Coordinates of all heavy atoms in Angstrom, one line a residue:
T167 N 98.1 58.0 111.9 CA 98.6 59.4 112.2 C 98.4 60.3 111.0 O 98.9 61.4 111.1 CB 100.1 59.4 112.7 OG1 100.8 59.1 111.5 CG2 100.3 58.5 113.8
V168 N 97.8 59.8 109.9 CA 97.7 60.7 108.7 C 96.5 61.7 108.9 O 95.4 61.3 109.0 CB 97.5 59.8 107.4 CG1 97.3 60.7 106.2 CG2 98.7 58.9 107.2
T169 N 96.9 62.9 109.0 CA 96.0 64.1 109.0 C 96.1 64.8 107.7 O 97.1 64.6 106.9 CB 96.4 65.0 110.2 OG1 97.8 65.4 109.9 CG2 96.3 64.3 111.6
P170 N 95.2 65.8 107.5 CA 95.5 66.7 106.3 C 96.9 67.3 106.2 O 97.5 67.4 105.2 CB 94.4 67.8 106.4 CG 93.3 67.1 107.2 CD 94.0 66.2 108.2
E171 N 97.4 67.6 107.4 CA 98.7 68.3 107.4 C 99.8 67.3 107.0 O 100.7 67.6 106.3 CB 99.1 68.8 108.9 CG 98.2 70.0 109.3 CD 96.8 69.7 109.6 OE1 96.5 68.5 110.0 OE2 95.9 70.6 109.5
V172 N 99.7 66.0 107.5 CA 100.6 65.0 107.1 C 100.5 64.7 105.6 O 101.5 64.7 104.9 CB 100.4 63.7 107.9 CG1 101.3 62.6 107.4 CG2 100.8 64.0 109.4
F173 N 99.3 64.6 105.1 CA 99.1 64.3 103.7 C 99.6 65.4 102.8 O 100.3 65.1 101.8 CB 97.6 64.1 103.4 CG 97.3 63.7 102.0 CD1 97.4 62.4 101.6 CD2 96.9 64.7 101.0 CE1 97.2 62.0 100.2 CE2 96.8 64.3 99.7 CZ 96.9 63.0 99.3
E174 N 99.4 66.6 103.2 CA 99.9 67.8 102.5 C 101.4 67.7 102.2 O 101.8 68.2 101.1 CB 99.5 69.0 103.2 CG 99.7 70.3 102.3 CD 98.9 71.5 102.8 OE1 99.2 71.8 103.9 OE2 98.0 71.9 102.1
R175 N 102.1 67.1 103.1 CA 103.6 67.1 102.9 C 103.9 66.2 101.6 O 105.0 66.3 101.1 CB 104.3 66.4 104.1 CG 104.4 67.4 105.3 CD 105.3 66.8 106.4 NE 104.6 66.9 107.6 CZ 104.5 66.0 108.5 NH1 105.1 64.8 108.4 NH2 103.9 66.2 109.7
F176 N 103.0 65.4 101.2 CA 103.3 64.6 100.0 C 102.8 65.3 98.7 O 103.0 64.7 97.6 CB 102.6 63.2 100.2 CG 103.2 62.4 101.2 CD1 102.9 62.5 102.6 CD2 104.2 61.4 100.9 CE1 103.5 61.8 103.6 CE2 104.8 60.7 101.8 CZ 104.5 60.9 103.2
M177 N 102.2 66.5 98.9 CA 101.7 67.2 97.7 C 102.9 68.1 97.2 O 103.5 68.8 97.9 CB 100.6 68.1 98.1 CG 99.3 67.5 98.5 SD 98.5 66.7 97.1 CE 97.9 68.1 96.2
E178 N 103.2 68.0 95.8 CA 104.3 68.7 95.3 C 104.2 70.2 95.5 O 105.1 70.9 95.8 CB 104.6 68.4 93.9 CG 103.5 68.7 92.9 CD 103.8 68.5 91.4 OE1 105.1 68.2 91.1 OE2 102.9 68.5 90.6
S179 N 102.9 70.7 95.5 CA 102.8 72.2 95.6 C 103.2 72.7 97.0 O 103.7 73.8 97.1 CB 101.3 72.6 95.4 OG 100.5 71.9 96.3
S180 N 103.0 71.8 98.0 CA 103.3 72.3 99.4 C 104.9 72.4 99.6 O 105.3 73.2 100.4 CB 102.8 71.4 100.4 OG 103.5 70.2 100.5
R181 N 105.6 71.7 98.7 CA 107.1 71.9 98.8 C 107.6 73.1 98.0 O 108.7 73.5 98.2 CB 107.7 70.6 98.2 CG 107.5 69.3 99.1 CD 108.4 68.2 98.6 NE 108.0 67.6 97.4 CZ 107.1 66.6 97.3 NH1 106.6 66.0 98.4 NH2 106.8 66.1 96.1
L182 N 106.8 73.6 97.2 CA 107.2 74.7 96.2 C 106.6 76.0 96.4 O 107.2 77.1 96.1 CB 106.9 74.2 94.8 CG 107.6 73.0 94.2 CD1 106.9 72.6 92.9 CD2 109.1 73.2 94.1
L183 N 105.3 76.0 97.0 CA 104.5 77.2 96.9 C 103.9 77.5 98.2 O 103.6 76.7 99.0 CB 103.4 77.0 95.9 CG 103.9 76.8 94.4 CD1 102.7 76.1 93.6 CD2 104.2 78.2 93.8
P184 N 103.6 78.9 98.5 CA 102.8 79.2 99.6 C 101.3 78.8 99.4 O 101.0 78.5 98.2 CB 102.9 80.7 99.7 CG 103.4 81.2 98.4 CD 104.0 80.1 97.7
P185 N 100.5 78.7 100.4 CA 99.1 78.3 100.2 C 98.5 79.2 99.2 O 98.7 80.4 99.1 CB 98.5 78.5 101.6 CG 99.6 78.5 102.5 CD 100.8 79.0 101.8
L186 N 97.5 78.7 98.4 CA 96.8 79.4 97.3 C 95.8 80.4 98.0 O 95.0 79.9 98.8 CB 96.1 78.5 96.4 CG 95.4 79.1 95.2 CD1 96.4 79.6 94.2 CD2 94.5 78.1 94.5
D187 N 95.9 81.6 97.7 CA 95.0 82.6 98.3 C 93.8 83.0 97.3 O 92.7 83.2 97.7 CB 95.7 83.9 98.6 CG 96.7 83.7 99.7 OD1 96.4 83.1 100.7 OD2 97.9 84.2 99.5
L188 N 94.2 83.1 96.0 CA 93.2 83.6 95.1 C 93.3 82.8 93.8 O 94.4 82.6 93.2 CB 93.5 85.1 94.8 CG 92.7 85.8 93.6 CD1 91.3 85.8 93.9 CD2 93.3 87.2 93.4
L189 N 92.2 82.4 93.3 CA 92.0 81.7 92.0 C 91.3 82.7 91.0 O 90.2 83.1 91.4 CB 91.3 80.4 92.0 CG 91.0 79.8 90.6 CD1 92.2 79.2 90.0 CD2 89.8 78.9 90.7
V190 N 91.9 82.9 89.9 CA 91.2 83.8 88.8 C 91.0 82.8 87.7 O 91.8 82.0 87.3 CB 92.2 84.9 88.4 CG1 91.6 85.7 87.3 CG2 92.6 85.8 89.6
R191 N 89.7 82.9 87.1 CA 89.4 82.2 85.9 C 88.8 83.2 84.9 O 87.9 83.9 85.2 CB 88.5 81.0 86.1 CG 88.3 80.3 84.8 CD 87.5 79.0 84.8 NE 87.5 78.4 83.6 CZ 87.5 77.1 83.4 NH1 87.5 76.2 84.4 NH2 87.5 76.5 82.2
T192 N 89.4 83.2 83.7 CA 88.9 84.1 82.7 C 87.8 83.4 81.8 O 87.5 82.2 81.9 CB 90.1 84.5 81.8 OG1 90.7 83.3 81.2 CG2 91.2 85.3 82.6
S193 N 87.3 84.2 81.0 CA 86.3 83.8 79.9 C 84.9 83.5 80.3 O 84.2 82.9 79.5 CB 86.9 82.6 79.1 OG 86.6 81.4 79.7
G194 N 84.5 83.9 81.6 CA 83.1 83.7 82.0 C 82.8 82.3 82.4 O 81.6 82.0 82.7
E195 N 83.7 81.3 82.4 CA 83.4 80.0 82.8 C 83.5 79.9 84.3 O 84.5 80.4 84.9 CB 84.3 78.9 82.1 CG 84.3 79.0 80.7 CD 83.1 78.4 80.0 OE1 82.2 78.0 80.8 OE2 83.1 78.3 78.8
H196 N 82.6 79.2 85.0 CA 82.7 79.1 86.4 C 82.9 77.6 86.9 O 82.0 76.9 87.4 CB 81.3 79.6 87.0 CG 81.1 81.0 86.8 ND1 80.0 81.7 87.4 CD2 81.7 82.0 86.1 CE1 80.0 83.0 87.0 NE2 81.1 83.2 86.2
R197 N 84.1 77.2 86.5 CA 84.5 75.9 86.9 C 86.0 75.9 87.4 O 86.7 76.8 87.1 CB 84.5 74.9 85.6 CG 83.2 74.6 85.0 CD 83.5 73.5 84.0 NE 84.2 74.0 82.8 CZ 83.6 74.7 81.8 NH1 82.3 74.9 81.8 NH2 84.2 75.1 80.8
V198 N 86.4 74.8 88.1 CA 87.8 74.7 88.5 C 88.6 73.8 87.6 O 89.8 73.7 87.6 CB 88.0 74.4 90.0 CG1 87.5 75.6 90.8 CG2 87.4 73.1 90.4
S199 N 87.9 72.9 86.8 CA 88.5 72.1 85.7 C 89.8 71.4 86.2 O 90.8 71.4 85.5 CB 88.8 73.0 84.5 OG 87.7 73.5 84.0
N200 N 89.7 70.7 87.3 CA 90.7 69.8 87.8 C 92.0 70.6 88.1 O 93.1 70.1 88.0 CB 91.0 68.8 86.7 CG 91.7 67.5 87.2 OD1 91.7 67.3 88.4 ND2 92.3 66.7 86.4
F201 N 91.9 71.9 88.4 CA 93.1 72.7 88.8 C 93.2 72.8 90.3 O 92.2 73.1 91.0 CB 93.0 74.1 88.2 CG 94.1 75.0 88.5 CD1 95.4 74.6 88.2 CD2 93.9 76.3 89.1 CE1 96.5 75.5 88.4 CE2 95.0 77.1 89.3 CZ 96.3 76.7 89.0
F202 N 94.3 72.5 90.9 CA 94.6 72.7 92.3 C 93.4 72.3 93.3 O 93.0 73.1 94.1 CB 94.9 74.2 92.5 CG 96.4 74.6 92.4 CD1 96.8 75.9 92.5 CD2 97.3 73.6 92.2 CE1 98.1 76.3 92.3 CE2 98.7 73.9 92.1 CZ 99.1 75.2 92.2
L203 N 92.9 71.1 93.1 CA 91.7 70.7 93.8 C 92.0 70.7 95.3 O 91.1 71.2 96.1 CB 91.3 69.3 93.4 CG 90.9 69.2 91.9 CD1 90.4 67.8 91.6 CD2 89.8 70.2 91.6
W204 N 93.1 70.3 95.8 CA 93.5 70.3 97.2 C 93.7 71.7 97.7 O 93.2 72.2 98.7 CB 94.7 69.4 97.4 CG 95.2 69.4 98.8 CD1 96.1 70.3 99.3 CD2 94.9 68.5 99.8 NE1 96.4 70.0 100.6 CE2 95.7 68.9 101.0 CE3 94.1 67.4 99.9 CZ2 95.6 68.2 102.2 CZ3 94.1 66.7 101.1 CH2 94.8 67.1 102.2
E205 N 94.5 72.5 96.9 CA 94.9 73.8 97.3 C 93.8 74.8 97.3 O 93.9 75.9 98.0 CB 96.0 74.3 96.3 CG 97.3 73.5 96.3 CD 97.2 72.2 95.5 OE1 96.1 71.8 95.0 OE2 98.3 71.6 95.3
L206 N 92.7 74.5 96.6 CA 91.6 75.5 96.5 C 90.7 75.5 97.8 O 89.8 76.3 97.9 CB 90.7 75.1 95.3 CG 91.1 75.7 94.0 CD1 90.5 75.0 92.9 CD2 90.8 77.2 93.9
A207 N 90.9 74.6 98.8 CA 90.0 74.4 99.9 C 89.6 75.8 100.5 O 88.4 76.0 100.7 CB 90.7 73.6 101.0
Y208 N 90.5 76.7 100.7 CA 90.1 78.0 101.3 C 90.5 79.2 100.4 O 90.6 80.3 100.9 CB 90.7 78.1 102.7 CG 89.8 77.4 103.7 CD1 90.1 76.1 104.1 CD2 88.5 77.9 104.0 CE1 89.3 75.4 105.0 CE2 87.7 77.1 104.9 CZ 88.1 75.9 105.3 OH 87.2 75.2 106.1
A209 N 90.8 78.9 99.1 CA 91.1 80.1 98.3 C 89.9 80.9 98.0 O 88.7 80.4 98.0 CB 91.7 79.5 97.0
E210 N 90.1 82.2 97.7 CA 89.0 83.0 97.2 C 88.9 82.8 95.6 O 90.0 82.7 95.0 CB 89.3 84.5 97.5 CG 89.3 84.7 99.0 CD 88.0 84.5 99.7 OE1 86.9 84.8 99.1 OE2 88.0 84.0 100.8
L211 N 87.7 82.9 95.1 CA 87.6 82.7 93.7 C 87.1 84.0 93.0 O 86.2 84.7 93.5 CB 86.5 81.6 93.4 CG 86.6 80.3 94.2 CD1 85.5 79.3 93.8 CD2 88.0 79.7 94.0
H212 N 87.8 84.3 91.9 CA 87.4 85.5 91.1 C 87.2 85.1 89.6 O 88.1 84.5 89.0 CB 88.5 86.6 91.2 CG 88.3 87.8 90.3 ND1 87.6 88.9 90.7 CD2 88.7 88.0 89.0 CE1 87.5 89.7 89.7 NE2 88.2 89.3 88.7
F213 N 86.0 85.3 89.2 CA 85.7 85.0 87.8 C 85.5 86.3 87.0 O 84.9 87.2 87.4 CB 84.4 84.1 87.7 CG 84.5 82.8 88.4 CD1 84.0 82.7 89.7 CD2 85.3 81.8 87.9 CE1 84.1 81.4 90.3 CE2 85.4 80.6 88.6 CZ 84.8 80.4 89.8
T214 N 86.1 86.3 85.8 CA 85.9 87.5 84.9 C 85.5 87.0 83.5 O 85.8 85.9 83.1 CB 87.2 88.3 84.9 OG1 87.1 89.3 83.8 CG2 88.4 87.4 84.5

Side-chain angles (χ1 to χ4, degrees):
T167 65
V168 177
T169 58
E171 290 73 24
V172 170
F173 184 81
E174 192 162 61
R175 283 188 230 137
F176 291 83
M177 295 287 292
E178 62 177 347
S179 61
S180 75
R181 294 192 284 270
L182 297 169
L183 295 159
L186 184 71
D187 295 313
L188 172 65
L189 170 76
V190 176
R191 183 172 187 145
T192 58
S193 88
E195 304 286 3
H196 294 187
R197 290 189 290 275
V198 296
S199 296
N200 203 18
F201 181 55
F202 270 176
L203 298 182
W204 175 274
E205 296 79 353
L206 276 164
Y208 280 102
E210 297 295 325
L211 312 182
H212 174 87
F213 298 103
T214 171

